[in-house]
Amino acid sequence: MTETKKEPGMAQLVIVLLVISAVVALLLGIVNMITEPAIRANEKAKNDAAMAAVLPADSYTPVEYTGSDTTINAVYQAGDAGYVFQVSPSGSFSGTLTIMVGVDSAGTVTGVEIVKTAETSGLGANASKPAFRDQFVGQSGTLAVAKDGGSIDALTGATITSRAVTSGVNSALAAAAELG
Amino acid sequence: MNVKKQLMDGLIHQNPVTVQLLGMCSVLAITTTLFNGIGMGMSVLVILTCANIVIALLRKIIPSKIRIACYIVVIAGFVTVVDLILKAFLPALSESLGLFIPLIVVNCIILGRAESFASKNGIAASALDGIFQGLGYTIVLIIMCVIREFLGNGTFGGGILNGGEGVRILPEGIPALGMILPVGGFLTLAVVIAVMQHFLSRPKKSEQKEEVAK
């Protein structure tokens, strides 16, 4: 390898990289400023839509959850209709699974929505289909998938995801019983 | 003339996926529905074109010793911009592609084109290279998506048509679920590359024959 005549010095290397990084950082800052409100609004809209779908109410008041179940992210009181639980059950197939579960004051499930999922497309991702979710409506007590002797029909090829959703619903039911 | 050559290179002769074999990870992972394929392809096309333009613009300023670091900073910047924009304005797509948008940073297509093309060519040529290579990538993604979605799920146009469910072609129960899983990705990619190589190797022979005949 032959040495070139104008071998750039260390200072030049540092300055070029520094300037490029600074310009990129500035650009990212600007884009973040523009997109952040929209991203926040999207997340909120999704959360609100999920809450409205599982247990319709005029207003949702956040309730502090003091129980021992660490899979419960948030609890909202849906007027006097009952509670809405945001649960991230352990044992999902991939990534974090977050579901919204509505439980009425009588302790029965009013609806289940998948808020966030990284389950396999075409298999576990089918958990968001109504045919699966509607099985939980009107159920109470402790649930299990049919394979484990319960009444919930697991998704084809996605028993693990089905079990995770079921355990999330169970967490919500148990927490609702605690809250009364 | 040169534009035509660049176009044919991007789409066929130097197709990033089937000939250069770059960016395999995303090709295997996200080609499960048509929506994913188009979204990922367009994201890569935009990022590749922007990165190519900037790198072509800076090619005389960037010292060769730190060129890779500079490329990565530029590429990562554009990827993050696209990621934020998708999250803000196309949340459904952003969710479906998940981690694979941030992973475009390490997609070999973009670094590969920066190193082998944009760092040696002018801005206009580099921009065209980005568009054509991006199109070549998108077309392969779409072919893979259509095949895998049809065989694995029995539908066409999942995520876009028919309210996101896709148009059902095969009745439920018949499709082979494995085609949606990673194993189906490998199988489909192998077949697509084999078919492409088959057609690529034929015209060359006929050209040689013509030359001999002359």
Side-chain angles (χ1 to χ4, degrees), chain B residues 78-101:
Chain B
F78 282 119
V79 169
T80 314
V81 168
V82 168
D83 189 28
L84 288 174
I85 289 173
L86 286 184
K87 266 189 192 148
F89 304 113
L90 278 173
L93 181 62
S94 169
E95 221 158 83
S96 179
L97 295 176
L99 189 61
F100 290 97
I101 289 289

Side-chain angles (χ1 to χ4, degrees), chain B:
Chain B
M1 201 55 204
N2 212 2
V3 172
K4 200 180 166 196
K5 186 189 172 294
Q6 271 189 300
L7 175 66
M8 294 314 284
D9 271 356
L11 296 188
I12 298 164
H13 300 299
Q14 287 294 319
N15 185 290
V17 181
T18 57
V19 179
Q20 300 182 61
L21 302 182
L22 296 174
M24 300 278 99
C25 175
S26 54
V27 172
L28 291 169
I30 60 97
T31 52
T32 50
T33 62
L34 188 62
F35 184 54
N36 278 4
I38 294 173
M40 186 73 179
M42 287 298 119
S43 305
V44 167
L45 190 151
V46 169
I47 293 165
L48 183 57
T49 309
C50 294
N52 264 3
I53 291 171
V54 170
I55 287 161
L57 197 69
L58 298 174
R59 70 187 189 280
K60 287 180 180 135
I61 304 167
I62 296 175
S64 71
K65 266 186 182 172
I66 55 160
R67 65 184 191 286
I68 301 289
C70 295
Y71 298 163
I72 284 292
V73 171
V74 171
I75 294 165
F78 282 119
V79 169
T80 314
V81 168
V82 168
D83 189 28
L84 288 174
I85 289 173
L86 286 184
K87 266 189 192 148
F89 304 113
L90 278 173
L93 181 62
S94 169
E95 221 158 83
S96 179
L97 295 176
L99 189 61
F100 290 97
I101 289 289
L103 276 180
I104 295 176
V105 175
V106 287
N107 190 320
C108 319
I109 294 174
I110 297 165
L111 195 58
R113 294 320 287 177
E115 173 79 7
S116 69
F117 197 94
S119 62
K120 293 168 192 146
N121 290 281
I123 296 165
S126 299
L128 284 178
D129 183 72
I131 294 169
F132 295 150
Q133 293 282 331
L135 275 180
Y137 176 76
T138 309
I139 287 170
V140 175
L141 281 190
I142 290 173
I143 292 171
M144 299 245 329
C145 287
V146 169
I147 296 173
R148 286 181 70 187
E149 200 190 326
F150 175 68
L151 293 177
N153 214 6
T155 55
F156 174 78
I160 313 170
L161 304 171
N162 200 7
E165 290 282 306
V167 179
R168 185 154 288 284
I169 300 167
L170 296 176
E172 262 183 83
I174 290 180
L177 281 169
M179 291 306 286
I180 291 288
L181 297 178
V183 61
F186 281 103
L187 287 173
T188 313
L189 184 62
V191 171
V192 169
I193 293 177
V195 170
M196 189 99 172
Q197 291 292 342
H198 176 69
F199 284 112
L200 270 182
S201 58
R202 277 207 315 201
K204 272 182 196 161
K205 278 178 195 161
S206 61
E207 275 168 25
Q208 279 169 356
K209 273 178 198 163
E210 274 171 25
E211 278 170 23
V212 171
K214 278 175 193 168

Side-chain angles (χ1 to χ4, degrees), chain A:
Chain A
M1 210 181 110
T2 52
E3 286 286 306
T4 46
K5 274 178 270 176
K6 276 203 299 177
E7 182 71 14
M10 186 60 86
Q12 197 192 336
L13 298 184
V14 171
I15 290 167
V16 170
L17 194 51
L18 186 73
V19 169
I20 291 177
S21 305
V23 171
V24 170
L26 185 71
L27 178 75
L28 287 183
I30 295 167
V31 172
N32 188 42
M33 250 166 54
I34 298 166
T35 54
E36 205 192 0
I39 294 172
R40 283 255 180 86
N42 281 343
E43 276 170 8
K44 194 173 176 301
K46 203 170 173 200
N47 219 27
D48 290 351
M51 285 200 287
V54 295
L55 184 56
D58 295 335
S59 67
Y60 299 93
T61 333
V63 180
E64 198 164 342
Y65 175 72
T66 49
S68 57
D69 195 335
T70 52
T71 61
I72 292 178
N73 299 331
V75 183
Y76 301 89
Q77 181 155 24
D80 47 9
Y83 294 96
V84 176
F85 299 86
Q86 198 199 71
V87 193
S88 293
S90 57
S92 61
F93 191 70
S94 68
T96 312
L97 176 73
T98 304
I99 62 172
M100 197 71 90
V101 186
V103 181
D104 67 14
S105 43
T108 58
V109 177
T110 56
V112 176
E113 281 278 327
I114 311 293
V115 182
K116 188 165 178 256
T117 174
E119 303 298 300
T120 317
S121 171
L123 294 174
N126 287 342
S128 56
K129 291 198 172 162
F132 177 72
R133 289 186 287 113
D134 289 349
Q135 295 184 79
F136 294 98
V137 176
Q139 302 270 18
S140 59
T142 306
L143 307 175
V145 294
K147 222 176 203 173
D148 303 333
S151 58
I152 305 295
D153 285 327
L155 292 158
T156 315
T159 309
I160 292 175
T161 307
S162 310
R163 278 189 185 133
V165 174
T166 309
S167 86
V169 173
N170 284 338
S171 296
L173 283 170
E178 278 174 40
L179 287 163

